[in-house]
Amino acid sequence: MTDLRVTVDGRELEATWTDDAPETRAALEDALPVAGDAIRWGEELYFDLALDAPPENASAAVPEGAIAYWPAGKKLCLFWGETPASEDGEPRAAAPVTVVARIDETVALADLEGGARVRLERTEG
């Protein structure tokens, strides 16, 4: 079951919440819908988003499709592949981030060029 719709440069993606960061998830859910003009860093997009949430189970290595919050930088990040910080091909943030959700299918992001407008909102139903 998907709980979250992510729109990246007109591409609609479905995402599912994770259970590893309940405080951060609650803060993001309360803020929805959110959107921003993202900056690209390898196969990661991030945009400004101030949430009142501490690091929870934070890690630099993240799964493909991770939607994560970086409390220190006040950024929401989407990962779909390697970044300049990656080791052995895994997605990796520049600093530890808190994963709150995962995009179910990241193929639509493969040909993304440059930054993009990103929007996250609840799914209906």
Side-chain angles (χ1 to χ4, degrees), residues 18-69:
T18 63
D19 296 323
D20 299 332
E23 288 182 53
T24 306
R25 174 184 169 170
L28 180 56
E29 280 186 295
D30 288 346
L32 291 176
V34 298
D37 291 320
I39 296 170
R40 185 169 175 170
W41 190 59
E43 293 181 346
E44 172 194 354
L45 290 171
Y46 62 90
F47 64 94
D48 292 334
L49 182 64
L51 296 177
D52 184 17
E56 290 180 273
N57 297 313
S59 174
V62 298
E64 182 179 323
I67 299 172
Y69 185 65

Side-chain angles (χ1 to χ4, degrees), residues 1 3 9 17 34 45 49 54 57-58 66 73-74 77 81 83 92 96-97 101 104:
M1 179 177 142
D3 309 294
D9 208 24
W17 294 107
V34 298
L45 290 171
L49 182 64
N57 297 313
K74 298 192 182 313
C77 313
T83 69
R92 182 174 283 271
V97 294
D104 299 331

